[in-house]
Amino acid sequence: MTLAVVTPYTVPVDLMDALQVTILILVAAGATAVVLIRERVRQVLTLSVYGVLLAVLFLAFQAPDVTLSELTVGAVALPIILLLTLAKIRKREE
Amino acid sequence: MTPTQRRWIFLAAAVGLAAFYLWGLSGLPGFGNYPGPYGFIINRIAVGQTNATGVVSTINFDYRGFDTVGEEFILFAAAAGVATVLRRLRGERERSATDEAADRDLPTTSSAVRMVALLFTGPVVVMGWWLASHAQTNPSGGFQGGVVLATAFVLIYLSGEFLVFKRFSPVALTEVVEAVGAGGFAAIGVSAVAMGLPYLKNFLPLGTVPGAVSSSGTIALISFFVGLEVAAAFILIIGELLDQTLLIRQGAN
């Protein structure tokens, strides 16, 4: 189904396709990076960047609500919780 | 089992998985394919029925409000679970948040971090409330707004110190706010029942202008309560984790 509504903000279809393919590739690369990085703190920070990428992906696929949820939870709240847990574990290991 | 046997079993399983996976993929509907009429119907009637232009919120808080109550209580139970699991156990002691060794300098927060955190705290609070109170007009809602509000408290922790964070978000108060948020949502649903309507039926006046902040009846109110509950739940979870990291130690008192 094609979108019937054209606004001053409507992006041409070709450009939108290119954007969607680009962001899909970036998300795949980001997910691979999160899995491959073994150092824990760095992994959490990469996860946060991955959350931002995923948020952009949702925006490019016309889901602004999910974008906001992903930004707040994936890029901020989850990394904070993980970093605090890592700090606790590190204290115990000392 | 020898490694060679194990490898063969793995290979057989992997080939089988790949075959089924490809078979499944080949039968998928095309990209962006949407067969059902439900979405189209909702798109056509939602604004007229509720005077809310944020149709995603209309679905979350009105048409499928009952599902959202369930999600709400999942988060409520999760926060309660974290608070229970992370309580101070026997064999653990709580030490003071300030450093006990008087002659040791505390690592200070860099002024750059302090400055950025202070600058952002106010705008983040405003944005959180804005998101939580505009679910009916924009793509936003109580959940997103609530998490943004909670991050404002994390900024307070970053800019000042742990004690300030605790002063701004005492556990008892946070728990009360969380309960009010979760209970408020459920109570709106029960109020509808008390008026002889179905549970969570939108019983408030819808306003006259579609897209006005005051339109949409119960949708805006539910979003507000969801915002309270989510913000409090996240503050509670992060606060418990901060307690664990900074205060609680192994060993008896």
Side-chain angles (χ1 to χ4, degrees):
Chain A
M1 181 204 159
T2 50
L3 282 175
V5 186
V6 178
T7 69
Y9 309 104
T10 304
V11 181
V13 173
D14 292 347
L15 191 63
M16 207 60 213
D17 284 351
L19 186 70
Q20 288 180 340
V21 170
T22 314
I23 191 66
L24 276 172
I25 292 169
L26 280 177
V27 163
T32 315
V34 172
V35 175
L36 289 183
I37 289 172
R38 305 311 303 179
E39 207 273 313
R40 286 175 294 194
V41 174
R42 252 178 230 167
Q43 194 172 28
V44 172
L45 292 177
T46 322
L47 182 70
S48 174
V49 176
Y50 171 71
V52 175
L53 284 175
L54 211 52
V56 179
L57 176 102
F58 291 133
L59 191 65
F61 285 87
Q62 302 179 6
D65 287 77
V66 193
T67 301
L68 280 168
S69 303
E70 178 57 36
L71 258 186
T72 48
V73 175
V76 182
L78 179 65
I80 289 175
I81 289 172
L82 288 174
L83 279 178
L84 285 172
T85 313
L86 286 180
K88 171 71 179 177
I89 294 171
R90 187 173 290 178
K91 281 253 169 64
R92 191 175 289 171
E93 280 170 353
E94 269 168 13
Chain B
M1 196 188 288
T2 66
T4 327
Q5 280 171 319
R6 209 175 289 163
R7 201 169 299 135
W8 278 112
I9 291 173
F10 166 74
L11 273 177
V15 168
L17 179 72
F20 273 108
Y21 190 63
L22 289 174
W23 184 40
L25 282 184
S26 68
L28 280 182
F31 182 76
N33 177 54
Y34 178 67
Y38 190 57
F40 297 124
I41 296 171
I42 290 273
N43 268 345
R44 191 149 301 176
I45 64 169
V47 177
Q49 275 192 340
T50 60
N51 272 346
T53 47
V55 176
V56 176
S57 311
T58 310
I59 296 167
N60 280 341
F61 299 139
D62 192 336
Y63 294 128
R64 305 301 311 164
F66 188 62
D67 299 9
T68 313
V69 172
E71 287 172 30
E72 186 80 358
F73 279 91
I74 290 174
L75 185 61
F76 186 78
V82 167
T84 313
V85 170
L86 295 186
R87 72 194 188 280
R88 185 153 57 96
L89 297 170
R90 243 175 305 166
E92 287 181 340
R93 72 198 154 81
E94 203 160 306
R95 56 158 217 186
S96 74
T98 49
D99 208 326
E100 285 150 358
D103 55 336
R104 186 166 51 194
D105 279 338
L106 283 170
T108 47
T109 316
S110 82
S111 26
V113 172
R114 247 168 212 260
M115 198 64 206
V116 170
L118 277 177
L119 276 178
F120 273 90
T121 306
V124 164
V125 170
V126 173
M127 185 172 170
W129 271 127
W130 188 87
L131 285 173
S133 58
H134 284 70
Q136 63 279 28
T137 58
N138 297 53
S140 62
F143 181 77
Q144 295 92 327
V147 185
V148 171
L149 266 180
T151 55
F153 286 82
V154 178
L155 285 174
I156 291 172
Y157 164 69
L158 278 179
S159 67
E161 50 189 305
F162 181 63
L163 289 175
V164 185
F165 174 85
K166 281 276 129 179
R167 202 179 309 143
F168 273 94
S169 57
V171 171
L173 179 68
T174 321
E175 279 172 345
V176 168
V177 172
E178 199 200 357
V180 167
F185 193 165
I188 292 172
V190 176
S191 316
V193 175
M195 298 163 80
L197 299 163
Y199 186 70
L200 275 176
K201 169 88 183 154
N202 195 337
F203 61 84
L204 288 176
L206 296 172
T208 46
V209 190
V213 180
S214 52
S215 293
S216 83
T218 54
I219 296 172
L221 200 60
I222 290 175
S223 174
F224 169 79
F225 280 117
V226 170
L228 281 187
E229 134 75 17
V230 171
F234 271 86
I235 291 168
L236 197 67
I237 291 174
I238 291 169
E240 290 286 348
L241 287 168
L242 278 171
D243 274 359
Q244 278 292 318
T245 312
L246 297 172
L247 296 186
I248 299 204
R249 291 289 170 273
Q250 297 269 323
N253 275 317

